[in-house]
Amino acid sequence: MKRKPSTEATSAWIRLMRVQSRVLDCVEQDLKKAGFPPLAWYDALLELSRAPSGELRPVELERQMLIPQYSTSRLIDRLVDEGLASRRECKIDKRGQFVEITEAGRELQKRMWGAYSAAIEKYVGSKLSDADAVKLSGLLDRLGCSCGEMKLPPVAQANANTNETSPSR
Amino acid sequence: MKRKPSTEATSAWIRLMRVQSRVLDCVEQDLKKAGFPPLAWYDALLELSRAPSGELRPVELERQMLIPQYSTSRLIDRLVDEGLASRRECKIDKRGQFVEITEAGRELQKRMWGAYSAAIEKYVGSKLSDADAVKLSGLLDRLGCSCGEMKLPPVAQANANTNETSPSR
DNA sequence: TCAAGATTGATGCACCTGCATCAAATGGGG
DNA sequence: CCCCATTTGATGCAGGTGCATCAATCTTGA
């Protein structure tokens, strides 16, 4: 049961690793050069701003962002430290809490989307036709599901047509 | 000059980020569970083992692996600490040095390739036909070059047909 | 009702990374 | 020949991540 991967598969693997890290680097660099915090902050702010009343349980955020629990916990710490979100206790479950995005948080999210969307266009959009982007998405999707177990909840749909919303990573 | 990315491009971006990180995680997990060190070690050992006499200047390694200088420096530290490589002074340029892979290093690289190739097959090869893998590679290549400036030196060609060699990330 | 187990969130530790900077050595132009 | 810019490699520091574990609370089932 140890079939070797084909050269084609191996080559795709290498490119997937290389290209992703290069493109991500470029985008993160652009954001940083524009004076913005890391993309993870954007993702969190976006999830929060999308939530019904601008607040989520950390556990929800964790599931949306597909990052580990402790990582969520500390990300929230940083957001709170910067005044971008605030913690609120949860009356019905005293273990838990709510994290609520602040006005500053909403505003930063919107400003970041300007730089972020420009970077996506620069490093992805301008390199591929829409048709090719769709092909690429399709091929990637075939890899994405079921690593070990899969559960992609109703996670972050892209939604860039209304010219105000924005994607998450 | 701030054209917004299409939904298609944005969606491809999101998937690129998500899928890569999931697949990479899976592969790294498999390696770790098999008791092996991180993939970066493998990449370094592979580059060294491929070099003419099993040794490279750190600068070369850095260029091959596309990682920053300090990262190379510390990776070499760890390899040396574990007896997988050794530093040799460079007579002709006293600033520099050579890093030479040891027998243990060569052996580890080969053993890792067993687990590594199995993981590639499991998470990539088995999910795509060879034809689709080629399509994916092609689409990714269109993104990969020229982030800022590009220089992909004669970097790591995939070469899994001879059943003993192996790829780098 | 109550003890055992599950869930929620925080945190100490080790390690890894990026950034800035350093020292040593080289090499080239005046 | 000498000074200065460049190349090569190391390292202190701040921050981020994974792992293990903890305390508090909730839930379940006997």
Side-chain angles (χ1 to χ4, degrees), chain B residues 103-120:
Chain B
E103 251 330 292
R106 287 187 191 274
E107 202 222 323
L108 177 61
Q109 185 269 317
K110 285 187 200 114
R111 280 190 302 122
M112 284 184 80
W113 174 238
Y116 187 15
S117 62
I120 295 176

Side-chain angles (χ1 to χ4, degrees), chain B residues 35-70:
Chain B
F36 290 120
L39 263 183
W41 293 35
Y42 176 82
D43 290 341
L45 291 176
L46 179 62
E47 292 303 334
L48 289 175
S49 73
R50 272 189 186 151
S53 53
E55 62 187 6
L56 284 175
R57 301 284 299 262
V59 186
E60 312 289 349
L61 192 54
E62 179 188 330
R63 283 193 264 265
Q64 292 291 319
M65 299 185 58
L66 301 173
I67 60 180
Q69 180 270 320
Y70 52 80

Side-chain angles (χ1 to χ4, degrees), chain B residues 32 57-59 69-70 73-74 87 95-97:
Chain B
K32 177 177 287 194
R57 301 284 299 262
V59 186
Q69 180 270 320
Y70 52 80
S73 179
R74 292 197 261 232
R87 292 185 209 261
R95 286 170 308 185
Q97 61 190 234

Side-chain angles (χ1 to χ4, degrees), chain A residues 57-59 69-70 73-74 87 95 97:
Chain A
R57 301 284 299 265
V59 186
Q69 179 270 320
Y70 53 80
S73 179
R74 292 196 261 232
R87 293 185 210 260
R95 288 169 306 184
Q97 62 191 231

